[in-house]
Structure formats: structure tokens, C-alpha cells
Amino acid sequence: MKISRLLIISFVSVILFSSLTSFSPEKSPSLVEDVLSQTNKFRKSKGLPTLIINEDLSAIAERHSINMAKGRVGFGHGGFSKRNREAGKYVKPLYRFAENVAYGATTGREVVTQWKNSSGHRKNMLGKYKYIGIGVAKDRRGRIYYTQLFAG
């Protein structure tokens, strides 16, 4: 009896260890990386340069996504001018600034496709920007909120 338990525990341990060690960020890119990759793939298909991820812009975008997910602000662009001013502290000179928001998509490909199919969001993704910030957050029900900030 003790030997069979030991074998079962050993077997389960090996399975758990191998599944944990086989998971890596390279095999499963984060949602932010997926949104960045899909956005830059779209820009490249239109002959535009890729956008450079900016950590300061991403922090601003993430705060907005968190605030929407927690219901602190309504879904949308409320507070846009404040985010614009804050971005101006990090991107100098700041000539252009735009924002895309979405919720509900579960992959970067899905959310970028939604934005591509909306003229205003599409225009932002194809704009003359150099930097991008991306933030994502989940609400209590597991819905994902996205914010893209573009600056240049």
C-alpha cells in the first residue's frame, strides 16, 4: 500500500514538474506582447514602421484598463486629456496622442481585429506615431479590458 502511494505521488510530481517547466513566456506570449505583435503586423502590412513599446505609456494604459475593469471609470475615453498630459511628461516632444480601448476579446489577434474593423481605431493604429503603450486588466467576471496609447 505504501509503495503504491509513493509511486502515485512520484508520478504526479513528475507530471506537474514537467508541465511547469515546459511552460515558458516564449511559447505563450503575454497578452500585451500579443497586442503589440498584432498591431505591428498590421502596420507592417500597410508599409508603416513598427511601433516601439514605451513602458511609461504602458503604465498609463494599464491604469486606465484597471480603472475600467474595477468600475472606477466607465468604459471609454473618460480622462483622455489627463492621460495625454501625463504622456507628455515621458514622450518629448509629444506631437500626437491617441487612444484605443476595448473589452471582451480574449486574444491580441481578436482585439486588434476589432480595432481594425472600426474606422477611428484603425486610423489610430495606422497613424504617424513612434511609441505605443498597452495595458490590460480583468474584471471580476474575467472580462479583459484593453487600452492602447499612441504617441509621437
Side-chain angles (χ1 to χ4, degrees), residues 38-86:
Q38 294 296 320
T39 302
N40 277 330
K41 184 177 175 182
F42 178 52
R43 286 177 61 85
K44 187 176 180 182
S45 76
K46 303 298 182 189
L48 297 170
T50 59
L51 297 169
I52 301 165
I53 193 84
N54 179 291
E55 295 305 319
D56 295 313
L57 291 177
S58 290
I60 297 167
E62 184 175 2
R63 277 195 304 276
H64 185 54
S65 291
I66 289 169
N67 287 336
M68 288 188 296
K70 291 189 180 245
R72 293 179 188 147
V73 299
F75 171 73
H77 300 285
F80 174 78
S81 60
K82 180 180 176 188
R83 287 186 292 284
N84 188 347
R85 285 190 303 276
E86 189 175 356

Side-chain angles (χ1 to χ4, degrees), residues 15 22 48 91 97 100 106 116-117 127 130-131:
I15 297 296
S22 66
L48 297 170
V91 178
F97 186 73
N100 285 347
T106 58
K116 284 178 1 184
N117 292 327
K130 182 175 181 178
Y131 301 105

Side-chain angles (χ1 to χ4, degrees), residues 12-24:
V12 169
S13 297
V14 167
I15 297 296
L16 285 173
F17 179 76
S18 65
S19 66
L20 287 173
T21 57
S22 66
F23 177 81
S24 71

